[in-house]
Amino acid sequence: MIERHVIIDNVDPVVFYGVNNSNIQLIRNLFPKLRMAARGNVIKVIGEEEETAFFEQKIKELAEFCNHYNQLTDDVIINTIKGTPPKELKMDDAIIFGVNGKPIKARTPNQQLLVKTISESDLTFALGPAGTGKTYLAVAMAVRALKNREVRKIILSRPAVEAGEKLGFLPGDMKDKIDPYLQPLYDALEDMIPPMKLKEYMETNVIQIAPLAFMRGRTLNDAMVVLDEAQNTTTHQIKMFLTRLGMGSKMIVTGDVTQIDLPRTTSSGLIQALKILRNVKGIGKVEFEKADIVRHHLVQRIVEAYERFDKEEQQPHNE
């Protein structure tokens, strides 16, 4: 009899073990000769050497499936242990499978173009109105790269532009004051990574979410780096950010040049950067349109209504 410790990497134990440990109980029933105890990401198993080695092999196969699809069902467990490989879940070119196995995929031609451009370019600009999925897809591509071990970390950033409220007057410490600006990034991650795994990634700095000002002085190697709401960067800020790009890294910059919240006397760094870098090789750019809006159907109508209003306001009024 030997004792073997099997480590399940890159999966959330809560997902792997199942609700009320239902998955681990099924695995116990399928290995009646073994004694096992699961704690955290380690499964301790006691039995004959040959059977514990077979057990470890099957647990690794199940962990790989769970990591890819973010789910583990009874059928998959039974088929894997009995030697029948589980069928791949084909979900129309899913980028990744989010929480509870939900497929996250590009839904419009421009979203598909963005996925392709990010894959092929080390720096990609994604431009367009609210609701087109720019940020969500950028985060999904970052999570995929991390899952596939193409990068060692994800860094997500936004400029903390004050919109009506001064940071100094908001309650709490600096993290409490900054987090509301970064909430859309948290929201996207929570759709894609199970809670316990996301917490672990955040605590170990595998995933970092920080205001743009915190990027100064860093060189970002082996990372997927996303700058959201880049239209609200100053010219100095975006230059500082773009020059953080390190070896083995990719950058994705998203923004909407029609929603600039900077003071009127301050130029948008995104607009300037697009002009300066327009002929630089290796930089990708994807421009989204109203037709790419994938939120509630009213969002597209709201965007169109505001565009009509802006055009009417810009026309000279007849006296």
Side-chain angles (χ1 to χ4, degrees), residues 195-278:
M196 291 298 291
K197 197 66 187 176
L198 179 57
K199 182 181 178 184
E200 177 192 326
Y201 281 149
M202 301 284 286
E203 289 175 349
T204 56
N205 285 330
V206 171
I207 295 179
Q208 302 169 32
I209 305 179
L212 182 57
F214 286 41
M215 297 294 109
R216 189 172 299 280
R218 303 181 65 182
T219 300
L220 308 174
N221 295 319
D222 300 315
M224 284 289 281
V225 189
V226 179
L227 174 60
D228 191 32
E229 299 288 349
Q231 75 276 4
N232 289 328
T233 60
T234 65
T235 54
H236 295 297
Q237 283 176 330
I238 199 162
K239 180 183 176 184
M240 176 273 292
F241 177 82
L242 294 175
T243 53
R244 301 305 97 200
L245 184 63
M247 301 299 294
S249 292
K250 284 178 179 281
M251 272 187 178
I252 309 165
V253 178
T254 73
D256 177 3
V257 295
T258 68
Q259 289 189 332
I260 297 172
D261 298 319
L262 294 166
R264 292 188 178 183
T265 55
T266 305
S267 299
S268 169
L270 176 60
I271 293 175
Q272 186 195 64
L274 291 170
K275 291 178 183 176
I276 293 172
L277 302 176
R278 64 184 179 277

Coordinates of all heavy atoms in Angstrom, one line a residue, residues 195-278:
P195 N -15.2 31.6 -8.9 CA -14.9 32.5 -7.8 C -13.6 32.2 -7.0 O -12.8 33.0 -6.8 CB -16.1 32.5 -6.9 CG -17.2 32.1 -7.8 CD -16.6 31.2 -8.8
M196 N -13.5 30.9 -6.6 CA -12.3 30.5 -5.8 C -11.0 30.7 -6.6 O -10.0 31.1 -6.1 CB -12.5 29.1 -5.3 CG -13.6 28.9 -4.2 SD -13.2 29.9 -2.7 CE -11.8 29.0 -2.1
K197 N -11.1 30.3 -7.9 CA -9.9 30.4 -8.7 C -9.5 31.8 -9.0 O -8.3 32.2 -8.9 CB -10.1 29.6 -10.0 CG -8.8 29.3 -10.8 CD -7.9 28.4 -10.0 CE -6.6 28.2 -10.6 NZ -5.7 27.3 -9.8
L198 N -10.5 32.7 -9.2 CA -10.3 34.1 -9.4 C -9.7 34.7 -8.2 O -8.7 35.5 -8.3 CB -11.6 34.8 -9.8 CG -11.5 36.3 -10.0 CD1 -10.5 36.6 -11.1 CD2 -12.9 36.9 -10.4
K199 N -10.2 34.4 -7.0 CA -9.6 34.9 -5.8 C -8.2 34.5 -5.6 O -7.3 35.3 -5.2 CB -10.4 34.4 -4.6 CG -10.0 34.9 -3.2 CD -10.8 34.3 -2.1 CE -10.3 34.8 -0.7 NZ -11.0 34.2 0.4
E200 N -7.9 33.3 -5.9 CA -6.5 32.8 -5.9 C -5.6 33.6 -6.8 O -4.5 34.0 -6.5 CB -6.4 31.3 -6.2 CG -5.0 30.7 -6.2 CD -4.9 29.3 -6.8 OE1 -5.9 28.6 -6.6 OE2 -3.9 29.0 -7.5
Y201 N -6.1 33.8 -8.1 CA -5.3 34.5 -9.1 C -5.0 36.0 -8.6 O -3.9 36.5 -8.8 CB -6.0 34.6 -10.4 CG -5.9 33.3 -11.2 CD1 -7.0 32.9 -12.1 CD2 -4.8 32.5 -11.2 CE1 -6.9 31.8 -12.9 CE2 -4.7 31.4 -12.0 CZ -5.7 31.0 -12.8 OH -5.6 29.9 -13.6
M202 N -6.0 36.6 -8.0 CA -5.9 38.0 -7.5 C -4.9 38.0 -6.4 O -4.1 39.0 -6.3 CB -7.3 38.5 -7.1 CG -8.3 38.5 -8.2 SD -8.1 39.8 -9.4 CE -8.7 41.2 -8.5
E203 N -5.0 37.1 -5.5 CA -4.1 37.1 -4.3 C -2.7 36.9 -4.6 O -1.8 37.4 -4.0 CB -4.6 36.1 -3.2 CG -5.9 36.5 -2.6 CD -6.5 35.4 -1.6 OE1 -5.9 34.3 -1.7 OE2 -7.4 35.7 -0.9
T204 N -2.4 36.1 -5.7 CA -1.1 35.8 -6.1 C -0.6 36.7 -7.2 O 0.5 36.4 -7.7 CB -1.0 34.3 -6.5 OG1 -1.9 34.1 -7.6 CG2 -1.3 33.4 -5.4
N205 N -1.3 37.7 -7.6 CA -1.0 38.7 -8.6 C -0.8 38.0 -10.0 O -0.2 38.6 -10.9 CB 0.3 39.4 -8.2 CG 0.1 40.5 -7.2 OD1 -1.0 41.0 -7.1 ND2 1.1 40.7 -6.3
V206 N -1.4 36.9 -10.2 CA -1.5 36.3 -11.5 C -2.4 37.2 -12.4 O -2.2 37.4 -13.6 CB -2.0 34.9 -11.5 CG1 -2.2 34.3 -12.9 CG2 -0.9 34.0 -10.8
I207 N -3.5 37.7 -11.8 CA -4.4 38.7 -12.4 C -4.3 40.0 -11.5 O -4.5 39.9 -10.3 CB -5.8 38.2 -12.5 CG1 -5.9 37.0 -13.4 CG2 -6.7 39.3 -13.0 CD1 -7.3 36.5 -13.5
Q208 N -3.9 41.1 -12.2 CA -3.8 42.3 -11.5 C -4.7 43.3 -12.2 O -4.7 43.5 -13.4 CB -2.3 42.8 -11.6 CG -1.3 41.9 -11.1 CD 0.1 42.3 -11.4 OE1 0.4 43.5 -11.5 NE2 1.0 41.3 -11.6
I209 N -5.5 44.0 -11.4 CA -6.4 45.1 -11.8 C -6.0 46.4 -11.1 O -6.0 46.4 -9.9 CB -7.8 44.8 -11.6 CG1 -8.2 43.4 -12.2 CG2 -8.8 45.9 -12.1 CD1 -9.6 43.0 -11.9
A210 N -5.6 47.4 -11.9 CA -5.0 48.6 -11.3 C -5.3 49.8 -12.1 O -5.4 49.7 -13.4 CB -3.5 48.4 -11.1
P211 N -5.4 51.0 -11.5 CA -5.6 52.2 -12.3 C -4.3 52.5 -13.1 O -3.2 52.0 -12.8 CB -5.7 53.3 -11.2 CG -6.0 52.6 -9.9 CD -5.4 51.2 -10.1
L212 N -4.5 53.2 -14.2 CA -3.4 53.5 -15.1 C -2.2 54.1 -14.4 O -1.0 53.8 -14.8 CB -3.9 54.4 -16.2 CG -3.0 54.8 -17.3 CD1 -2.5 53.5 -18.0 CD2 -3.6 55.7 -18.3
A213 N -2.4 54.9 -13.5 CA -1.3 55.6 -12.8 C -0.3 54.6 -12.2 O 0.9 54.9 -12.0 CB -1.8 56.5 -11.7
F214 N -0.8 53.4 -11.8 CA 0.0 52.4 -11.2 C 1.0 51.7 -12.2 O 1.8 50.8 -11.7 CB -0.9 51.3 -10.5 CG -1.5 51.8 -9.2 CD1 -2.0 53.1 -9.1 CD2 -1.6 51.0 -8.1 CE1 -2.7 53.6 -8.0 CE2 -2.2 51.5 -6.9 CZ -2.8 52.7 -6.9
M215 N 0.8 52.0 -13.4 CA 1.7 51.3 -14.5 C 3.0 51.9 -14.6 O 4.0 51.4 -15.2 CB 1.0 51.3 -15.8 CG -0.3 50.6 -15.9 SD -0.2 48.8 -15.7 CE -0.9 48.6 -14.1
R216 N 3.2 53.2 -14.1 CA 4.4 53.9 -14.3 C 5.6 53.2 -13.8 O 5.6 52.6 -12.7 CB 4.3 55.3 -13.7 CG 5.5 56.2 -14.0 CD 5.3 57.6 -13.5 NE 4.1 58.2 -14.1 CZ 4.1 58.8 -15.3 NH1 5.1 58.8 -16.1 NH2 2.9 59.3 -15.8
G217 N 6.7 53.1 -14.6 CA 7.9 52.5 -14.1 C 8.0 51.0 -14.3 O 9.1 50.4 -14.0
R218 N 6.9 50.3 -14.7 CA 6.9 48.9 -14.9 C 7.3 48.5 -16.3 O 7.0 49.2 -17.3 CB 5.6 48.3 -14.5 CG 5.1 48.7 -13.1 CD 3.7 48.0 -12.8 NE 3.8 46.6 -12.8 CZ 2.7 45.8 -12.6 NH1 1.5 46.3 -12.5 NH2 2.8 44.5 -12.6
T219 N 7.9 47.3 -16.4 CA 8.0 46.6 -17.7 C 7.2 45.3 -17.6 O 7.4 44.5 -16.8 CB 9.5 46.3 -18.0 OG1 10.2 47.5 -18.0 CG2 9.6 45.6 -19.4
L220 N 6.3 45.2 -18.5 CA 5.3 44.1 -18.4 C 5.6 42.9 -19.4 O 5.3 43.0 -20.6 CB 3.9 44.6 -18.7 CG 3.5 45.9 -17.9 CD1 2.1 46.4 -18.4 CD2 3.5 45.5 -16.4
N221 N 6.3 41.9 -18.8 CA 6.8 40.8 -19.6 C 5.8 39.6 -19.5 O 5.2 39.5 -18.4 CB 8.2 40.3 -19.2 CG 9.2 41.4 -19.5 OD1 9.2 42.0 -20.5 ND2 10.1 41.5 -18.6
D222 N 5.7 38.8 -20.5 CA 4.9 37.5 -20.5 C 3.5 37.8 -19.9 O 3.0 37.1 -19.0 CB 5.6 36.5 -19.6 CG 7.0 36.1 -20.2 OD1 7.1 35.9 -21.4 OD2 7.9 36.1 -19.4
A223 N 2.8 38.8 -20.4 CA 1.5 39.2 -19.9 C 0.6 39.6 -21.0 O 1.0 40.0 -22.1 CB 1.7 40.4 -18.9
M224 N -0.7 39.4 -20.7 CA -1.7 40.0 -21.6 C -2.2 41.3 -20.8 O -2.6 41.2 -19.7 CB -2.9 39.1 -21.7 CG -2.7 38.0 -22.7 SD -2.6 38.5 -24.4 CE -4.3 38.7 -24.8
V225 N -2.0 42.4 -21.5 CA -2.3 43.7 -20.8 C -3.4 44.4 -21.6 O -3.4 44.6 -22.8 CB -1.0 44.6 -20.9 CG1 -1.2 45.9 -20.0 CG2 0.2 43.8 -20.4
V226 N -4.5 44.8 -20.8 CA -5.7 45.4 -21.4 C -5.8 46.8 -20.8 O -5.9 46.9 -19.6 CB -6.9 44.6 -21.2 CG1 -8.1 45.3 -21.8 CG2 -6.8 43.2 -21.7
L227 N -5.9 47.8 -21.6 CA -6.2 49.2 -21.2 C -7.6 49.5 -21.7 O -7.9 49.6 -22.9 CB -5.2 50.2 -21.7 CG -5.5 51.7 -21.4 CD1 -5.6 51.9 -19.9 CD2 -4.5 52.6 -22.1
D228 N -8.5 49.7 -20.8 CA -9.9 50.0 -21.1 C -10.2 51.5 -21.0 O -9.5 52.2 -20.2 CB -10.8 49.2 -20.1 CG -12.3 49.2 -20.6 OD1 -12.6 49.2 -21.8 OD2 -13.2 49.1 -19.7
E229 N -11.2 52.0 -21.7 CA -11.6 53.4 -21.7 C -10.4 54.3 -22.0 O -10.2 55.3 -21.3 CB -12.2 53.7 -20.3 CG -13.4 52.9 -19.9 CD -14.7 53.4 -20.7 OE1 -14.6 54.4 -21.4 OE2 -15.7 52.6 -20.7
A230 N -9.7 53.9 -23.0 CA -8.4 54.6 -23.3 C -8.7 56.0 -23.8 O -7.8 56.9 -23.8 CB -7.6 53.9 -24.3
Q231 N -9.9 56.4 -24.2 CA -10.2 57.7 -24.7 C -10.0 58.7 -23.5 O -9.9 59.9 -23.8 CB -11.6 57.8 -25.3 CG -12.8 57.8 -24.2 CD -13.2 56.4 -23.8 OE1 -12.5 55.4 -24.2 NE2 -14.2 56.3 -23.0
N232 N -10.0 58.2 -22.3 CA -9.9 59.1 -21.1 C -8.5 59.2 -20.6 O -8.3 59.6 -19.5 CB -10.8 58.7 -20.0 CG -12.3 58.9 -20.3 OD1 -12.6 59.9 -21.0 ND2 -13.2 58.1 -19.9
T233 N -7.5 58.8 -21.4 CA -6.1 58.9 -21.1 C -5.6 60.3 -21.6 O -6.1 60.7 -22.7 CB -5.2 57.8 -21.6 OG1 -5.3 57.8 -23.1 CG2 -5.6 56.5 -21.1
T234 N -4.6 60.9 -20.9 CA -4.0 62.0 -21.5 C -2.9 61.6 -22.5 O -2.6 60.4 -22.5 CB -3.3 62.9 -20.4 OG1 -2.3 62.1 -19.8 CG2 -4.4 63.3 -19.3
T235 N -2.3 62.5 -23.2 CA -1.3 62.1 -24.2 C -0.1 61.5 -23.5 O 0.5 60.6 -24.0 CB -0.9 63.4 -25.0 OG1 -0.5 64.4 -24.1 CG2 -2.0 63.9 -25.8
H236 N 0.3 62.0 -22.3 CA 1.4 61.5 -21.6 C 1.1 60.1 -21.0 O 1.9 59.2 -21.0 CB 1.8 62.4 -20.4 CG 2.3 63.8 -20.9 ND1 3.5 63.9 -21.7 CD2 1.8 65.0 -20.8 CE1 3.7 65.2 -21.9 NE2 2.7 65.9 -21.4
Q237 N -0.1 59.9 -20.5 CA -0.5 58.6 -19.9 C -0.5 57.5 -20.9 O 0.1 56.4 -20.6 CB -1.9 58.7 -19.3 CG -2.0 59.5 -18.0 CD -3.4 59.6 -17.5 OE1 -4.4 59.7 -18.3 NE2 -3.6 59.6 -16.2
I238 N -1.0 57.7 -22.1 CA -1.1 56.6 -23.1 C 0.3 56.3 -23.6 O 0.7 55.1 -23.8 CB -2.1 56.9 -24.2 CG1 -2.4 55.5 -24.9 CG2 -1.5 57.9 -25.2 CD1 -3.7 55.5 -25.7
K239 N 1.2 57.3 -23.8 CA 2.6 57.0 -24.2 C 3.3 56.2 -23.1 O 4.0 55.2 -23.4 CB 3.3 58.3 -24.4 CG 4.8 58.1 -24.9 CD 5.5 59.4 -25.0 CE 7.0 59.2 -25.4 NZ 7.7 60.4 -25.5
M240 N 3.1 56.6 -21.9 CA 3.7 55.8 -20.7 C 3.2 54.4 -20.8 O 4.0 53.5 -20.6 CB 3.3 56.5 -19.4 CG 3.8 55.8 -18.2 SD 2.6 54.5 -17.6 CE 1.2 55.5 -17.0
F241 N 1.9 54.2 -21.0 CA 1.3 52.8 -21.0 C 1.9 52.0 -22.1 O 2.3 50.9 -21.9 CB -0.2 52.9 -21.0 CG -0.9 51.6 -21.1 CD1 -1.1 50.8 -19.9 CD2 -1.2 51.0 -22.3 CE1 -1.7 49.6 -20.0 CE2 -1.8 49.8 -22.4 CZ -2.0 49.0 -21.2
L242 N 1.8 52.5 -23.3 CA 2.2 51.8 -24.5 C 3.7 51.4 -24.4 O 4.1 50.3 -25.0 CB 2.0 52.6 -25.8 CG 0.5 52.8 -26.1 CD1 0.4 53.7 -27.3 CD2 -0.3 51.5 -26.3
T243 N 4.5 52.2 -23.8 CA 6.0 51.8 -23.7 C 6.3 50.9 -22.5 O 7.4 50.6 -22.3 CB 6.8 53.1 -23.5 OG1 6.3 53.9 -22.4 CG2 6.7 54.0 -24.8
R244 N 5.2 50.4 -21.8 CA 5.4 49.3 -20.8 C 5.5 47.9 -21.4 O 5.9 47.0 -20.8 CB 4.2 49.3 -19.8 CG 3.9 50.5 -19.0 CD 5.1 51.1 -18.3 NE 5.7 52.1 -19.0 CZ 7.0 52.6 -18.8 NH1 7.7 52.0 -17.9 NH2 7.5 53.5 -19.6
L245 N 5.2 47.8 -22.7 CA 5.1 46.5 -23.4 C 6.5 45.8 -23.3 O 7.5 46.3 -23.8 CB 4.7 46.7 -24.8 CG 4.5 45.4 -25.7 CD1 3.3 44.6 -25.1 CD2 4.2 45.8 -27.1
G246 N 6.4 44.6 -22.7 CA 7.7 43.8 -22.6 C 7.7 42.6 -23.5 O 6.8 42.3 -24.3
M247 N 8.7 41.8 -23.3 CA 8.9 40.6 -24.1 C 7.8 39.6 -23.8 O 7.5 39.4 -22.6 CB 10.3 40.0 -23.8 CG 11.5 40.9 -24.1 SD 11.5 41.4 -25.9 CE 11.9 39.8 -26.7
G248 N 7.3 38.9 -24.8 CA 6.3 37.8 -24.6 C 5.0 38.3 -24.2 O 4.1 37.6 -23.7
S249 N 4.7 39.6 -24.4 CA 3.4 40.2 -24.0 C 2.6 40.7 -25.2 O 3.1 41.0 -26.3 CB 3.7 41.4 -23.0 OG 4.2 41.0 -21.8
K250 N 1.3 40.9 -24.9 CA 0.4 41.5 -25.9 C -0.3 42.6 -25.2 O -0.6 42.4 -24.0 CB -0.6 40.5 -26.5 CG 0.0 39.5 -27.5 CD -1.1 38.6 -28.0 CE -0.6 37.6 -29.1 NZ -0.6 38.2 -30.4
M251 N -0.7 43.7 -25.9 CA -1.5 44.7 -25.4 C -2.8 44.9 -26.2 O -2.7 44.8 -27.4 CB -0.7 46.1 -25.4 CG 0.1 46.3 -24.2 SD 0.8 48.0 -24.2 CE 1.6 48.0 -22.7
I252 N -3.9 45.2 -25.5 CA -5.1 45.5 -26.1 C -5.6 46.8 -25.6 O -5.8 46.9 -24.3 CB -6.2 44.4 -25.9 CG1 -5.6 43.0 -26.3 CG2 -7.4 44.6 -26.7 CD1 -6.4 41.8 -25.7
V253 N -5.9 47.8 -26.4 CA -6.3 49.1 -26.0 C -7.8 49.3 -26.5 O -8.0 49.2 -27.7 CB -5.4 50.2 -26.5 CG1 -5.9 51.6 -26.1 CG2 -4.0 49.9 -26.0
T254 N -8.7 49.5 -25.6 CA -10.1 49.7 -26.0 C -10.5 51.1 -25.7 O -10.1 51.7 -24.7 CB -11.1 48.7 -25.4 OG1 -11.2 49.1 -24.0 CG2 -10.5 47.3 -25.4
G255 N -11.4 51.7 -26.5 CA -11.9 53.0 -26.3 C -13.0 53.4 -27.2 O -13.3 52.8 -28.2
D256 N -13.7 54.5 -26.8 CA -14.8 55.1 -27.6 C -14.5 56.6 -27.7 O -14.7 57.3 -26.7 CB -16.1 54.8 -27.0 CG -17.3 55.4 -27.7 OD1 -17.1 56.0 -28.7 OD2 -18.5 55.3 -27.2
V257 N -14.1 57.1 -28.8 CA -13.7 58.5 -29.0 C -14.9 59.4 -28.9 O -14.7 60.6 -28.9 CB -12.9 58.7 -30.3 CG1 -11.6 58.0 -30.2 CG2 -13.7 58.3 -31.5
T258 N -16.1 58.9 -28.9 CA -17.3 59.7 -28.7 C -17.7 59.9 -27.2 O -18.7 60.6 -26.9 CB -18.5 59.2 -29.5 OG1 -18.9 57.9 -28.9 CG2 -18.1 58.9 -30.9
Q259 N -17.0 59.2 -26.3 CA -17.3 59.3 -24.9 C -16.1 59.7 -24.1 O -15.6 59.0 -23.2 CB -17.8 58.0 -24.4 CG -19.2 57.6 -24.9 CD -19.8 56.4 -24.2 OE1 -19.0 55.5 -23.8 NE2 -21.1 56.3 -24.1
I260 N -15.6 60.9 -24.4 CA -14.4 61.4 -23.7 C -14.9 62.2 -22.4 O -15.7 63.2 -22.6 CB -13.6 62.3 -24.6 CG1 -13.0 61.4 -25.8 CG2 -12.4 62.9 -23.8 CD1 -12.3 62.2 -26.9
D261 N -14.4 61.8 -21.3 CA -14.8 62.5 -20.0 C -13.7 63.4 -19.5 O -13.8 63.9 -18.3 CB -15.1 61.4 -18.9 CG -16.3 60.5 -19.3 OD1 -17.3 61.1 -19.9 OD2 -16.2 59.3 -19.2
L262 N -12.7 63.6 -20.3 CA -11.6 64.5 -19.8 C -12.1 66.0 -19.8 O -13.0 66.3 -20.6 CB -10.4 64.4 -20.7 CG -9.7 63.0 -20.7 CD1 -8.7 62.9 -21.9 CD2 -8.9 62.9 -19.4
P263 N -11.5 66.9 -19.1 CA -11.8 68.3 -19.2 C -11.6 68.8 -20.6 O -10.7 68.3 -21.3 CB -10.8 68.9 -18.2 CG -10.3 67.9 -17.3 CD -10.4 66.6 -18.1
R264 N -12.4 69.8 -21.0 CA -12.3 70.2 -22.4 C -10.9 70.7 -22.8 O -10.6 70.7 -24.0 CB -13.4 71.3 -22.6 CG -14.8 70.8 -22.5 CD -15.8 71.9 -22.9 NE -17.2 71.4 -22.9 CZ -18.2 72.0 -23.2 NH1 -18.1 73.3 -23.6 NH2 -19.4 71.5 -23.1
T265 N -10.2 71.2 -21.9 CA -8.8 71.7 -22.2 C -7.8 70.6 -22.3 O -6.6 70.9 -22.7 CB -8.4 72.7 -21.1 OG1 -8.4 72.0 -19.8 CG2 -9.3 73.9 -21.1
T266 N -8.2 69.4 -22.1 CA -7.2 68.2 -22.1 C -7.5 67.4 -23.3 O -8.6 67.0 -23.6 CB -7.3 67.4 -20.8 OG1 -7.2 68.2 -19.7 CG2 -6.3 66.3 -20.8
S267 N -6.5 67.1 -24.1 CA -6.6 66.3 -25.3 C -6.6 64.8 -25.0 O -5.9 64.4 -24.0 CB -5.4 66.6 -26.3 OG -5.4 67.9 -26.7
S268 N -7.4 64.0 -25.7 CA -7.4 62.6 -25.5 C -6.2 61.9 -26.1 O -5.8 62.1 -27.2 CB -8.6 62.0 -26.2 OG -8.6 60.6 -26.2
G269 N -5.5 61.2 -25.2 CA -4.3 60.5 -25.6 C -4.6 59.4 -26.7 O -3.7 59.1 -27.5
L270 N -5.8 58.8 -26.6 CA -6.1 57.8 -27.6 C -6.2 58.4 -29.0 O -5.6 57.8 -30.0 CB -7.4 57.1 -27.3 CG -8.0 56.1 -28.2 CD1 -7.0 54.9 -28.4 CD2 -9.4 55.6 -27.8
I271 N -6.8 59.5 -29.2 CA -6.9 60.1 -30.5 C -5.5 60.5 -31.0 O -5.2 60.2 -32.2 CB -7.8 61.4 -30.4 CG1 -9.3 61.0 -30.1 CG2 -7.7 62.2 -31.7 CD1 -10.2 62.1 -29.9
Q272 N -4.7 61.0 -30.2 CA -3.3 61.4 -30.6 C -2.5 60.1 -31.0 O -1.8 60.0 -32.0 CB -2.6 62.1 -29.5 CG -1.2 62.6 -30.0 CD -0.3 63.1 -28.9 OE1 0.0 62.3 -28.0 NE2 0.0 64.4 -28.8
A273 N -2.6 59.1 -30.2 CA -1.9 57.8 -30.4 C -2.3 57.2 -31.7 O -1.4 56.7 -32.5 CB -2.1 56.8 -29.3
L274 N -3.6 57.2 -32.0 CA -4.0 56.6 -33.3 C -3.4 57.4 -34.5 O -3.1 56.7 -35.5 CB -5.5 56.7 -33.4 CG -6.3 55.7 -32.4 CD1 -7.8 56.0 -32.4 CD2 -6.0 54.3 -32.8
K275 N -3.3 58.7 -34.4 CA -2.6 59.5 -35.5 C -1.2 59.1 -35.6 O -0.6 58.9 -36.7 CB -2.9 61.0 -35.2 CG -4.3 61.4 -35.4 CD -4.4 62.9 -35.0 CE -5.8 63.4 -35.1 NZ -6.0 64.8 -34.7
I276 N -0.5 59.1 -34.5 CA 1.0 58.9 -34.5 C 1.4 57.5 -34.9 O 2.4 57.4 -35.7 CB 1.6 59.2 -33.1 CG1 1.4 60.7 -32.7 CG2 3.0 58.8 -33.0 CD1 1.8 61.0 -31.3
L277 N 0.6 56.5 -34.6 CA 0.9 55.1 -34.8 C 0.3 54.5 -36.0 O 0.4 53.3 -36.3 CB 0.6 54.3 -33.6 CG 1.2 54.7 -32.2 CD1 0.7 53.9 -31.1 CD2 2.7 54.6 -32.3
R278 N -0.4 55.4 -36.8 CA -1.3 54.8 -37.9 C -0.5 54.0 -38.9 O -1.0 53.1 -39.6 CB -2.1 55.9 -38.6 CG -1.2 57.0 -39.3 CD -2.2 58.1 -39.9 NE -1.4 59.1 -40.5 CZ -0.9 60.2 -39.9 NH1 -1.0 60.3 -38.6 NH2 -0.2 61.1 -40.6

